[in-house]
Amino acid sequence: METPTNVRPLPYAPTETTDLYPESDGKPMADTDLHLYWIKRVQDMLETYFSRDPGVYISGNIMMYDIKGPTRTAISPDILVCFGIGQKFRRTYKVWEEGKPPDFVMEFSSNRTYRNDLDEKMAHYARMKIPEYFLYDPDRRYLPSPLLGFRLVEGTYVEIAADVDGGIRSEILALNFHLMEDGLALYDPRSERWLQTRAEQEAERAEHAEERAEQEAAARQKAEAEVTRLQAELERLKGRR
């Protein structure tokens, strides 16, 4: 999560610092540049979309522990979203400290991970009672479908059927995930807008500001030309007296 230069850094959430809960599993964040690109892009879009809600915590590849003590189990989702726990920086995510598991997790599957994503990780997230689990295969080679969504029903994940427009609806996020020709896109049906990264949003604002400035300049020129015309007409009328 990037910290804007004009905003004071958020404090780290309190967390135990014993060897029992390591902050890394030693595995790479992503298998390829393509996977890393999409993990970062989707996380950026979600952070930008929820930026005005200080209660929403969004992270990726953070070590998550659901059982306290020596029998603890660890898992590291590519992306997680949790409502109501605040936007503090965390070294690890401990369910007993946060008071709840994440509300949404997402994995970006590869040749190395897709079997585990569909088997052990899915079972683990179900045991944690995480309401929604989404998967995306950037290579479009390994999952049964490049984009999959699952919703927890009575302790078991049930696949979410695509809408008539092909999108997969996340009820938790109130967003639709769409498989596009060039990748993955997220859509907000309430605002009827596609989600953007922070950089894309700022670029759009700058473009709109430039357009407004050009329109205002054109309006001023038109007004000045009209004033000049009226002054000339007035002088002409004075000369006829």
Side-chain angles (χ1 to χ4, degrees):
M1 183 182 298
E2 294 184 359
T3 304
T5 55
N6 63 338
V7 177
R8 295 179 60 189
L10 295 170
Y12 279 106
T15 185
E16 300 173 52
T17 57
T18 68
D19 293 338
L20 197 59
Y21 311 105
E23 297 173 6
S24 172
D25 58 5
K27 297 178 182 178
M29 180 179 177
D31 281 3
T32 69
D33 286 345
L34 182 65
H35 287 77
L36 184 60
Y37 169 82
W38 282 107
I39 291 171
K40 288 185 174 181
R41 178 171 176 79
V42 172
Q43 184 174 341
D44 192 337
M45 287 192 288
L46 291 173
E47 287 177 346
T48 302
Y49 179 73
F50 288 109
S51 61
R52 295 186 179 181
D53 188 339
V56 182
Y57 173 64
I58 299 169
S59 185
N61 287 281
I62 189 171
M63 293 296 289
M64 186 164 62
Y65 297 93
D66 55 327
I67 299 174
K68 186 176 182 179
T71 60
R72 92 285 186 274
T73 56
I75 196 166
S76 179
D78 287 332
I79 289 179
L80 69 83
V81 181
C82 190
F83 295 95
I85 66 170
Q87 295 180 6
K88 295 179 181 179
F89 290 132
R90 291 161 170 83
R91 295 187 181 278
T92 59
Y93 187 107
K94 299 184 179 73
V95 173
W96 60 92
E97 287 185 355
E98 306 299 345
K100 59 181 290 190
D103 296 289
F104 174 95
V105 292
M106 187 170 185
E107 299 289 354
F108 292 72
S109 300
S110 66
N111 183 39
R112 179 179 63 86
T113 67
Y114 80 94
R115 294 181 182 86
N116 189 49
D117 294 341
L118 290 169
D119 185 8
E120 293 183 16
K121 277 199 169 182
M122 180 178 285
H124 195 133
Y125 293 144
R127 288 195 302 272
M128 292 180 68
K129 299 181 180 180
I130 296 175
E132 288 185 344
Y133 175 39
F134 275 53
L135 300 96
Y136 175 54
D137 175 4
D139 289 320
R140 306 192 181 198
R141 296 172 57 190
Y142 306 110
L143 294 178
S145 173
L147 176 63
L148 295 170
F150 297 90
R151 189 168 296 125
L152 197 65
V153 178
E154 297 181 355
T156 302
Y157 280 123
V158 176
E159 186 172 352
I160 303 170
D163 296 334
V164 292
D165 59 358
I168 297 180
R169 171 76 172 176
S170 167
E171 295 293 345
I172 292 295
L173 304 181
L175 297 171
N176 297 340
F177 286 67
H178 286 262
L179 192 65
M180 313 295 278
E181 185 176 346
D182 59 348
L184 185 65
L186 280 65
Y187 183 74
D188 176 13
R190 291 174 296 186
S191 65
E192 298 183 340
R193 288 179 59 88
W194 295 97
L195 267 61
Q196 298 175 309
T197 64
R198 186 177 302 277
E200 289 168 344
Q201 191 176 85
E202 290 174 352
E204 184 179 83
R205 287 173 180 167
E207 183 179 347
H208 288 170
E210 185 177 347
E211 290 175 355
R212 286 195 297 272
E214 291 175 353
Q215 291 169 358
E216 290 171 358
R220 282 196 301 271
Q221 290 177 353
K222 184 177 180 180
E224 289 169 358
E226 180 64 11
V227 169
T228 300
R229 186 190 69 79
L230 291 174
Q231 288 175 338
E233 180 66 14
L234 182 60
E235 291 299 324
R236 186 182 68 79
L237 293 173
K238 285 181 179 180
R240 295 175 60 183
R241 290 178 183 177

